[in-house]
Amino acid sequence: MAEIIQKDGTWTFDGDAVRIVPGRDKGVGLLRQTLGEVLVPLRALAGISYEPGRKAGRLRLRLRDGADPLLQVTGGRLPEASDPYRLTVEPDRGGVAEYFVDEVRNALLLDQVDPGPADSYLLPGPAVPITVGAGDGTAAFDGDRVSLEWNWTTEEAKRSGGPREFRVADLRSVEWAPSRGLENGWIRFALAGAGQSAAPKYDPYTVELFGFKKDPLMALVAAAVAVRMPHPAAPAQEPAPEPGPTLAPPLPPALPPIAAPIPAAAPAEDHDALLRRLRELGELHQAGILTAEEFTTAKAAILGRF
């Protein structure tokens, strides 16, 4: 087990998942505080890295494309302070961060995790019910229905239509965009069968965001909705063929020629024993019993046996 505790948060790895608990430091963004604890299964990871710095380092998890609904709807546009997969590391804890990286990378190697895109969500998304007020409205989601209500900043053309309510099953897509410069952001719900959306300030199914502190929280609403919709990369289901005339059953295929028997492979060394040895080496290195050179040499020898 590997763990790193910082003001920015605590990351723990037990061999199967990385548990992320946000800290209470003033630099922790509101989105991370509201999202709370996140459990990232090993099969959702594409990689991990540590970036040392003079004042502080950065520990980063890289998730597989399509594995997390929050990253799917934000498309890499979250501010640094709102990114739950980044941890600020104090300079004197760089060695612990590097050990944490080694443990996760070894597990990815041993489990042969595919770092490529996922065709289903591997994280559950934010908890529901969830309600967020930001920009010109309030969005609420109970796991099935989305409701939008307007405030005094809403354009009259949009507010005059009153609140909106619709089900996830009625949606074609949900999108989130942050404010940038003079351009406002938005969270937009596109209903199936609807035409082209109007500008965010006039669209009755869009909350316009003005660049204030609570704007990133709308990304949590978008993620909670997205995880309950079909995954964008899920294989398309082919329609069932229409029944046709009854035909005679086809003849069985000819049997293939008998191939020469393939010699059995030599039994592999016990992977569990090798994994335990890796963890023991890590503990000895962290305790200062093994030097960095001794630890690297021993680890390479064990990994060569897999």
Side-chain angles (χ1 to χ4, degrees), residues 281 283-292 294:
L281 286 174
E283 293 170 359
L284 291 173
H285 175 51
Q286 192 174 23
I289 298 174
L290 291 179
T291 65
E294 291 170 337

Side-chain angles (χ1 to χ4, degrees), residues 163-245:
R164 300 284 172 166
E165 184 174 301
F166 43 89
R167 301 183 62 187
V168 172
D170 301 328
L171 288 175
R172 181 178 74 247
S173 66
V174 55
E175 304 168 356
W176 175 87
S179 301
R180 288 187 175 178
L182 299 178
E183 183 178 350
N184 290 337
W186 35 261
I187 177 172
R188 173 181 288 135
F189 301 92
L191 272 64
Q196 187 175 1
S197 302
K201 67 189 304 182
Y202 301 114
D203 186 354
Y205 295 98
T206 298
V207 176
E208 187 178 28
L209 305 175
F210 304 141
F212 297 134
K213 184 179 179 180
K214 290 187 176 181
D215 281 10
L217 296 184
M218 281 295 185
L220 297 181
V221 177
V225 173
V227 77
R228 290 165 174 81
M229 298 176 63
H231 192 280
Q237 295 183 352
E238 297 183 2
E242 296 182 2

Side-chain angles (χ1 to χ4, degrees), residues 249-261:
L251 294 175
L255 295 176
I258 298 176

Side-chain angles (χ1 to χ4, degrees), residues 233-285:
Q237 295 183 352
E238 297 183 2
E242 296 182 2
T246 303
L247 301 176
L251 294 175
L255 295 176
I258 298 176
I262 300 174
E269 191 166 352
D270 185 0
H271 281 203
D272 290 338
L274 293 176
L275 181 56
R276 285 195 300 271
R277 182 59 180 151
L278 272 176
R279 298 195 187 287
E280 291 170 1
L281 286 174
E283 293 170 359
L284 291 173
H285 175 51

Side-chain angles (χ1 to χ4, degrees), residues 37 56 79 105 139 259 292:
E37 182 179 306
R105 285 179 176 170

